[in-house]
Amino acid sequence: MLSTGVFSFAFLSLASVARTATVTYDWTVDWVWAAPDGVGRPLIGINNAWPCPKIEATIGDTVIINLTNNLGNQTTGLHFHGINQVLTPEMDGPSGVTQCPLPPGSSLTYNFVVDIGGTFWYHSHNMGQYPDGLRGPFIVHDPNDPYAGTYDEEVILTVSDWYHNESLPMVRNMLIPSNNRFAPPIPDNILVNEGAGLQLNFVKGKKYRFRMISFAALASAMIHFNSHDMHLIMNDAAYLRKEKHYMLRLAAAQRYDFIIECIDRDNDNYPFLVSLDINRDWTNPDLGELRWPHNYTGYLVMDSSKPNNKVDVVKEWKPADDSHFKPYDNQTLYGGNSNYDKLIVLDFAFCFDSNGYPRACFNNITYIGQPVPALFTAATTGESNTNPAIYGQINPFIVEYGDIVQIVVNNRDEATHPFHLHGHHFQVLDRPKSGTGDWPKRDGNYNSVPPMRDTVTVMGKSFAILRYQATNPGTWLFHCHIEWHVEMGLTATIIEAPDRLRNFTFPADHLAACQVMGIKTSGNAAGNTDNYTDTSGFITTPSTSYNGAMYIPAGTDKKLKQRSRFFGLENSFF
Ligand SMILES: *[C@@H]1O[C@H](CO)[C@@H](O)[C@H](O)[C@H]1NC(C)=O
Ligand SMILES: *[C@@H]1O[C@H](CO)[C@@H](O)[C@H](O)[C@H]1NC(C)=O
Ligand SMILES: *[C@@H]1O[C@H](CO)[C@@H](O)[C@H](O)[C@H]1NC(C)=O
Ligand SMILES: *[C@@H]1O[C@H](CO)[C@@H](O)[C@H](O)[C@H]1NC(C)=O
Ligand SMILES: *[C@@H]1O[C@H](CO)[C@@H](O)[C@H](O)[C@H]1NC(C)=O
Ligand SMILES: *[C@@H]1O[C@H](CO)[C@@H](O)[C@H](O)[C@H]1NC(C)=O
Ligand SMILES: *[C@@H]1O[C@H](CO)[C@@H](O)[C@H](O)[C@H]1NC(C)=O
Ligand SMILES: *[C@@H]1O[C@H](CO)[C@@H](O)[C@H](O)[C@H]1NC(C)=O
Ligand SMILES: [Cu+2]
């Protein structure tokens, strides 16, 4: 069943949620053959199956995942998107940041406490790997959910763009000098619940809590239900005051929880439409050259003897403006309108590296992974760990414990981009429309009760103002969640409360993974433990040969590698 692709997540029964203090998963990561949209391809699954299973826990639970890499030819790792990893920064998962890539044949245990409830997801955060399938839902139940009792059943609804090629060759084709317009891979299809043809049981009078998650690598998803409104209660695992909406837009990695009541009408089967938005800016008709190429119709089925032949017609997509959603707790903006401790201004534009390869830059600097992951540098360089220069070209920004941090993203590109922060949810103080230009370098009148998210869409040629309080020591990425742009370097690193990371110790399996990979676990970005400000060995130009997550055993002769690529043997073990 799992490999056929026509797969529906069953309705979840609330009664079946076990209230255990520890939730344990034993997972292998494997190549699996599947055809989610009818086209077969190799996919990365878990325990020899795909779609990947869901993680389910209750607030306060410890989640333990023992992950074994059985891929043979690729490294791996997992990130738990939206889980803030309070006191466990080493469990966040991005390769080269908080851990080394997990090599084939090795195991690594993720062990952390889930502190807030809501709808999350997990995914590989290792070299463009999650679009190959390594992603799944992560649900955290909240015993004090303010909306408990206002719905009868829960439904997970995942949406994603889908590619018939593997990530590695697609990113290789993207990172070439002739791609001087920075074109990303364009999806071949759309998946809902990792397959096609979704039909959900829909019973008169019942209320359903949808947990909608975007697993996308590039595209956003517009959603509309025929004859039924969405009563929105959460965005990105942050409660909202209940609001009625008829269209929503989920950017890559975002989540919406909403309640739909099966209205008492004519015992019909109701279509819903999910449309893939790969336009550069859906609000700008001039940039709609790729308007809605992939539509998906699913059905809420009241009477299974009736045919599902209706379609949901949407004349124009006008999704709700999520920058004006209202947080449930009425939390006002941290610090007050223009009162904050640390300002980080990130001007995003596409750029070229010194070899003429297309890249994405913050402040004219592209992120380049360094020999030593940032958290290891922070943990092993003593007093020097407050010096951003020792971390190498990872766009490091130091913030102190307790700082109220304001991040400004100026998007100089015409397209919209969804930005995600690890380690925190942030308030969205302002997110003006496309064409507004840069932040005017002074604080305006911000939304005094701003919504909280972990991923925000920044409009084309415009900006966004985000704020959070730095009470979570760690090395946290801030990046565009378009996976193809991550591979272009559209990432910054917040080094948070480094004074509290000194002498941080890593679990033995983390260190063992690094050892197998031949990666140093102490010193500055190049592993220099004598002179932290000595930048020799730092990587300052991105490699011209992109190998993605391909496993290259430590010490493999470089020439042999190049020759094997030349002969098209990149999938072999040399
Ligand atoms: C993790 O799983 C691997 C493979 O099944 C096993 O060898 C290892 O002992 C497990 N580790 C832990 C900590 O359970
Ligand atoms: C997928 O691979 C085929 C064959 O190499 C190529 O023609 C096509 O352009 C690729 N698609 C993408 C999105 O890269
Ligand atoms: C998808 O649906 C939208 C809205 O109904 C429509 O504008 C668009 O043309 C559709 N796309 C395709 C490929 O049918
Ligand atoms: C938030 O404010 C609204 C409107 O004033 C009010 O109805 C609601 O009770 C408040 N919620 C909380 C949790 O204080
Ligand atoms: C950006 O950096 C490149 C070199 O990496 C330099 O040539 C260019 O002038 C810089 N642009 C700006 C706007 O600073
Ligand atoms: C941290 O380790 C260094 C040596 O690596 C030692 O001098 C220092 O006392 C340690 N600090 C703490 C707070 O343990
Ligand atoms: C550390 O390296 C920097 C840069 O190479 C050099 O200027 C400095 O003198 C070195 N410090 C020591 C103590 O060797
Ligand atoms: C690894 O193996 C899978 C499954 O056989 C294959 O599809 C893939 O292209 C191989 N190579 C790399 C570098 O992933
Ligand atoms: Cu993420």
Side-chain angles (χ1 to χ4, degrees), residues 34-360:
D37 63 345
V39 177
R41 53 156 289 177
L43 287 171
I44 302 180
I46 285 174
N47 292 345
N48 280 306
W50 192 89
C52 298
K54 73 169 181 283
I55 299 176
E56 197 165 14
T58 299
I59 292 183
D61 284 356
T62 298
V63 174
I64 297 178
I65 296 155
N66 175 18
L67 193 76
T68 299
N69 181 358
N70 278 352
L71 292 174
N73 62 2
Q74 290 198 1
T75 60
T76 195
L78 290 182
H79 165 60
F80 308 91
H81 186 113
I83 303 285
N84 291 325
Q85 300 293 358
V86 178
L87 302 178
T88 48
E90 78 283 19
M91 298 299 170
D92 193 43
S95 294
V97 184
T98 62
Q99 66 167 78
C100 296
L102 183 66
S106 289
S107 297
L108 190 117
T109 299
Y110 293 99
N111 183 335
F112 54 89
V113 173
V114 286
D115 61 331
I116 60 168
T119 303
F120 305 84
W121 63 301
Y122 64 88
H123 61 86
S124 165
H125 212 303
N126 181 46
M127 307 303 291
Q129 191 174 56
Y130 83 75
D132 281 334
L134 188 46
R135 71 273 180 103
F138 189 155
I139 309 301
V140 181
H141 296 281
D142 178 359
N144 300 312
D145 185 337
Y147 293 105
T150 67
Y151 54 89
D152 302 291
E153 295 189 30
E154 297 191 13
V155 192
I156 295 172
L157 197 65
T158 72
V159 301
S160 182
D161 47 19
W162 190 241
Y163 304 82
H164 293 153
N165 293 342
E166 290 177 35
S167 290
L168 173 61
M170 291 195 299
V171 177
R172 259 188 198 151
N173 282 341
M174 175 181 77
L175 297 178
I176 50 174
S178 59
N179 185 18
N180 55 18
R181 299 203 56 206
F182 312 96
I186 299 300
D188 296 303
N189 216 334
I190 179 173
L191 298 182
V192 173
N193 285 0
E194 302 289 47
L198 185 63
Q199 298 179 21
L200 299 165
N201 289 324
F202 204 46
V203 176
K204 195 176 286 182
K206 277 204 175 180
K207 292 178 178 158
Y208 298 87
R209 177 192 185 146
F210 283 78
R211 295 175 176 272
M212 195 168 173
I213 310 172
S214 170
F215 287 171
L218 166 74
S220 297
M222 299 283 187
I223 182 147
H224 175 260
F225 287 82
N226 179 262
S227 303
H228 290 79
D229 290 318
M230 295 172 271
H231 298 271
L232 189 64
I233 56 170
M234 257 191 165
N235 64 179
D236 296 355
Y239 288 114
L240 297 169
R241 271 153 63 183
K242 197 192 267 185
E243 287 177 36
K244 190 170 85 174
H245 292 292
Y246 66 103
M247 276 181 203
L248 293 173
R249 177 181 187 271
L250 271 85
Q254 291 185 325
R255 288 89 65 212
Y256 285 122
D257 288 39
F258 49 83
I259 295 171
I260 290 185
E261 180 175 3
C262 180
I263 50 173
D264 186 355
R265 204 168 277 172
D266 46 4
N267 218 38
D268 211 341
N269 297 342
Y270 293 96
F272 60 89
L273 179 63
V274 193
S275 193
L276 216 54
D277 173 16
I278 55 179
N279 299 297
R280 283 187 289 158
D281 182 348
W282 85 98
T283 66
N284 183 345
D286 296 340
L287 295 172
E289 66 271 36
L290 297 169
R291 273 182 124 68
W292 330 116
H294 300 290
N295 286 337
Y296 180 103
T297 303
Y299 291 89
L300 304 178
V301 177
M302 293 189 72
D303 182 348
S304 57
S305 69
K306 285 187 182 166
N308 292 324
N309 51 11
K310 294 200 171 168
V311 290
D312 184 37
V313 179
V314 167
K315 288 210 181 73
E316 193 184 354
W317 287 107
K318 281 197 172 161
D321 180 353
D322 63 300
S323 71
H324 289 108
F325 291 167
K326 298 191 173 51
Y328 184 83
D329 62 2
N330 297 327
Q331 171 67 52
T332 54
L333 81 176
Y334 302 134
N337 199 66
S338 54
N339 194 2
Y340 43 86
D341 304 300
K342 176 87 186 175
L343 175 65
I344 298 175
V345 179
L346 299 170
D347 298 339
F348 150 55
F350 287 108
C351 53
F352 292 97
D353 65 23
S354 55
N355 292 309
Y357 281 61
R359 301 289 301 179

Side-chain angles (χ1 to χ4, degrees), residues 533-544:
T533 57
D534 180 350
T535 60
S536 53
F538 284 22
I539 304 176
T540 56
T541 309
S543 169
T544 54

